[in-house]
Amino acid sequence: MTELIRENKFEELKGELKSQKEFQIYTYLSDILDGKTVHLNEHSFTPEKYQAEFTEGSKLYQALAKSELDREQLAQFIKVVVELAFTMGLHVQEASLAAMSHGVPLTHAEHIYKIDPEIRHRIQELINILKNTPEQEKAVANLSTAKAKVTHAVDNTLQKYEVGEDMLQLAESYEKVAPIEMVVPIYQGILSDFECESVRNSSGLIPETIHVDDRPEAEIAIFNEAKIHFERITGKTLEEPNRIHIKESKDAAGLVQSIIDSAFESSEAETEEEIEVQEQPNRSAEPPVQSVSEKQGLLTKIKRIFGKN
């Protein structure tokens, strides 16, 4: 089919599309080439084939965009493909919620819905094309929404910064088509999710507190970009906490080590106290002392927070 498109043989293409029954997307393209106006509903595509239908539709559009096809017909076809992607994203979201209700991510629940690992990249390919296409801002926003929904459904297979990149893309695409009131919460969510753990867990009552920042550079970049956009669209300036990045500052590394050493010494001291209490069973009136395992659990948590193994 792509060869017929490259050669602009649209009559032959219509015949080929009508002879093929594998994908419903062929029928919609054939109708558009016949000059018909098409409309989608909840029964236009079957959920089991959403991803395959979208992939095929995206390939056809990429070929048609380089052809001499009437631009109105091309615009109508991409509208079908984008609406399909949006519906697919909603279905994936619902399937993910169903899987999580059973305590597992969607990637471990293929009996509920099987996700093609490449579908995110295919959506992104189309986004990249439409970003450079006039009057396709709404299509980009809808595709970005679809990708974000898929991303959240498979986030257990992704790096955190990859999720952040998709959320940034969603917010930036919404800026062009939606009220600012809809965009601000997206940036706020990114800022919250990508702030360092020390700041997130802080009460904020002591502004001069030094926060050890153990975030990877990719996550810091997501946070900083979201901050720039948030301040731009709101006109507000966010107050920066006093952070020291553990990978860039010897002082921070020393601070972390001193915290761990202190916790370890405290753990050892209180463990000795526990042994002493156990040797004097008649002192039952004293408050119970935490077990060794509880102390080790505390130390492990502190090490995990500050990036120690």
Side-chain angles (χ1 to χ4, degrees):
M1 290 187 191
T2 54
E3 184 63 31
L4 292 174
I5 294 173
R6 277 194 294 267
E7 296 176 359
N8 296 304
K9 295 181 178 180
F10 300 120
E11 288 300 319
E12 290 86 342
L13 176 62
K14 283 194 293 183
E16 183 69 17
L17 290 168
K18 290 176 181 178
S19 69
Q20 297 290 335
K21 305 299 181 183
E22 183 180 2
F23 295 111
Q24 184 64 25
I25 196 73
Y26 293 159
T27 301
Y28 285 105
L29 179 54
S30 175
D31 287 345
I32 290 171
L33 294 176
D34 278 334
K36 300 177 182 178
T37 300
V38 299
H39 300 282
L40 301 187
N41 57 47
E42 66 272 22
H43 305 298
S44 296
F45 299 94
T46 60
E48 293 77 14
K49 298 190 72 173
Y50 280 156
Q51 297 172 84
E53 293 273 11
F54 170 78
T55 298
E56 188 65 16
S58 179
K59 290 178 180 177
L60 287 171
Y61 173 78
Q62 291 180 48
L64 289 166
K66 299 175 182 178
S67 74
E68 297 176 3
L69 180 67
D70 178 82
R71 296 298 97 173
E72 290 186 7
Q73 290 180 320
L74 182 64
Q76 190 173 5
F77 182 63
I78 191 58
K79 185 177 179 180
V80 170
V81 176
V82 170
E83 191 168 342
L84 166 59
F86 190 83
T87 302
M88 175 179 68
L90 289 175
H91 184 77
V92 169
Q93 182 183 49
E94 291 175 358
S96 177
L97 292 173
M100 291 306 296
S101 70
H102 294 287
V104 295
L106 186 59
T107 52
H108 295 169
E110 292 187 359
H111 62 288
I112 294 177
Y113 193 71
K114 184 175 181 179
I115 287 286
D116 177 0
E118 295 298 314
I119 197 64
R120 290 179 61 254
H121 302 298
R122 295 190 179 112
I123 298 173
Q124 189 63 50
E125 283 180 359
L126 193 54
I127 290 173
N128 293 341
I129 292 171
L130 294 180
K131 277 182 177 179
N132 299 313
T133 304
E135 301 180 354
Q136 290 296 339
E137 290 83 4
K138 287 186 178 180
V140 170
N142 283 324
L143 287 171
S144 298
T145 301
K147 189 188 180 194
K149 290 183 182 300
V150 173
T151 292
H152 282 298
V154 300
D155 60 3
N156 59 303
T157 68
L158 304 173
Q159 295 293 319
K160 185 175 180 179
Y161 77 88
E162 294 178 288
V163 179
E165 288 176 342
D166 284 353
M167 294 309 295
L168 276 174
Q169 177 172 256
L170 176 64
E172 290 168 8
S173 69
Y174 266 46
E175 279 194 53
K176 299 177 181 179
V177 299
I180 294 300
E181 293 75 17
M182 292 183 62
V183 183
V184 170
I186 303 177
Y187 284 127
Q188 287 176 323
I190 298 171
L191 290 170
S192 176
D193 289 344
F194 284 82
E195 179 58 274
C196 67
E197 187 172 0
S198 175
V199 175
R200 288 205 310 269
N201 293 336
S202 171
S203 65
L205 297 177
I206 309 176
E208 58 272 17
T209 299
I210 296 176
H211 298 280
V212 177
D213 187 353
D214 60 351
R215 295 172 296 175
E217 290 298 327
E219 294 181 17
I220 294 176
I222 296 293
F223 178 90
N224 289 340
E225 186 169 351
K227 180 175 181 289
I228 290 171
H229 289 302
F230 175 84
E231 292 180 336
R232 173 177 53 78
I233 66 175
T234 63
K236 300 177 181 178
T237 300
L238 296 178
E239 184 177 348
E240 282 288 330
N242 188 7
R243 305 187 196 89
I244 298 181
H245 197 284
I246 187 171
K247 294 182 180 179
E248 296 178 351
S249 170
K250 292 182 180 180
D251 291 338
L255 175 61
V256 171
Q257 190 59 53
S258 67
I259 293 173
I260 292 174
D261 291 344
S262 176
F264 185 73
E265 291 171 2
S266 175
S267 176
E268 286 185 326
E270 294 187 28
T271 299
E272 291 175 0
E273 180 182 349
E274 179 185 6
I275 293 172
E276 183 180 341
V277 170
Q278 289 175 345
E279 291 175 350
Q280 301 180 41
N282 292 333
R283 297 169 61 186
S284 57
E286 295 187 6
V289 180
Q290 289 176 286
S291 68
V292 175
S293 63
E294 287 175 318
K295 295 300 175 186
Q296 291 173 336
L298 171 62
L299 182 60
T300 300
K301 181 181 293 186
I302 293 174
K303 288 183 177 180
R304 184 173 66 251
I305 289 175
F306 294 110
K308 297 291 182 180
N309 295 321

